[in-house]
Amino acid sequence: DIQLTQSPSVLSASVGDRVTITCRANQGISNFFAWYQQKPGKAPSLLIHAASTLQSGVPSRFIVSGSETEVTLTISSLQPEDFATYYCQQMKIYPLTFGGGTKVE
Amino acid sequence: QITLKESGPTLVKPTQTLTLTCTFSGFSLTTTGMGVGWIRQPPGKALEWLSIIFWDDDERYNPSLNNRLTITKDTSKNQVVLIMTNIDPADTATYYCVHRNYYCSGDSCHGINAFDIWGQGTMVTVSS
């Protein structure tokens, strides 16, 4: 199985901060990464697919960069609605797997 | 507009069989590329992918569930059913139904290779 390790698990930040979340895979998965945002009590929602393509309606302050085994999600200027938990996922090989999540508080 | 909604029991006893139904609208599971899957999330924990079924009847399962899962579709009812046998308290979680529309033909791929639409989730508690 492909294991995804997210860091940090918790990130304390303030509105306006630039925040970065890293997702590392134990093998190359090319651009088969996706990112989801989950707010308390709600279902996750898709933020980014194909490693760096923003889902429709997602603001451009969400930026992704990386390599075959590591991707970084950056929020360029944290907004109040961005406080949430973020999950990376690989869509290359079954079983599909998620990272452990990063809570931005 | 695509929507998905999960339904099923909220409380299940250990060793019983859990049956969850996803009723969807806005697309057909007979259309090339379409898939409906299940993901769960134990309280306070991360997401775990369980299973997915595709328009062409292809089925995939998470082997960590040790062959306890069966996924089926009823295209006439726009429903996907997930059956989980030998339920354990560790299966206590919110179960989400998800949509995926993606396929490749030769070197050309179409759609979004991710779960772009999620149901609201249904909480299942396993307890005697």
Side-chain angles (χ1 to χ4, degrees):
Chain A
D1 297 4
I2 294 179
Q3 296 174 4
L4 300 179
T5 303
Q6 278 185 246
S7 60
S9 55
V10 178
L11 193 160
S12 296
S14 301
V15 173
D17 284 353
R18 181 181 182 91
V19 302
T20 298
I21 301 167
T22 299
C23 178
R24 291 188 179 88
N26 62 349
Q27 58 183 279
I29 56 177
S30 188
N31 66 338
F32 293 94
F33 275 103
W35 287 91
Y36 301 87
Q37 177 192 65
Q38 185 177 32
K39 296 184 179 178
K42 300 294 186 182
S45 62
L46 178 64
L47 276 181
I48 293 162
H49 61 95
S52 60
T53 302
L54 268 60
Q55 178 66 341
S56 176
V58 173
S60 58
R61 62 180 179 272
F62 290 89
I63 305 162
V64 176
S65 61
S67 65
E68 286 226 352
T69 58
E70 181 176 308
V71 289
T72 299
L73 173 66
T74 298
I75 308 173
S76 59
S77 177
L78 196 67
Q79 297 302 299
E81 60 269 28
D82 301 335
F83 289 95
T85 299
Y86 294 84
Y87 293 94
C88 61
Q89 182 200 17
Q90 65 84 16
M91 298 291 289
K92 183 174 184 181
I93 295 175
Y94 292 101
L96 307 179
T97 48
F98 289 89
T102 295
K103 182 178 182 181
V104 178
E105 59 179 23
Chain B
Q1 179 190 6
I2 291 173
T3 64
L4 308 102
K5 187 172 184 178
E6 307 86 352
S7 59
T10 57
L11 181 63
V12 183
K13 288 182 167 49
T15 75
Q16 287 186 337
T17 294
L18 171 66
T19 300
L20 295 172
T21 301
C22 175
T23 303
F24 57 85
S25 64
F27 68 98
S28 171
L29 205 36
T30 62
T31 301
T32 299
M34 293 297 177
V36 173
W38 289 91
I39 290 165
R40 72 178 179 181
Q41 184 174 38
K45 295 188 177 181
L47 303 165
E48 180 182 28
W49 173 76
L50 299 177
S51 181
I52 190 167
I53 190 165
F54 293 99
W55 84 101
D56 60 356
D57 297 326
D58 187 20
E59 303 166 18
R60 303 284 177 154
Y61 297 97
N62 192 328
S64 71
L65 277 292
N66 298 321
N67 299 315
R68 296 167 51 213
L69 299 177
T70 302
I71 193 168
T72 62
K73 62 183 172 76
D74 185 332
T75 54
S76 66
K77 293 182 179 179
N78 281 351
Q79 290 182 332
V80 169
V81 174
L82 182 72
I83 298 170
M84 182 183 295
T85 60
N86 195 22
I87 288 291
D88 181 87
D91 297 313
T92 294
T94 297
Y95 287 77
Y96 295 102
C97 174
V98 292
H99 167 270
R100 179 187 177 195
N101 178 14
Y102 179 79
Y103 75 98
C104 296
S105 176
D107 292 333
S108 178
C109 295
H110 310 273
I112 295 174
N113 190 11
F115 298 122
D116 59 344
I117 308 293
W118 293 58
Q120 64 187 21
T122 185
M123 177 66 193
V124 178
T125 300
V126 182
S127 174
S128 55

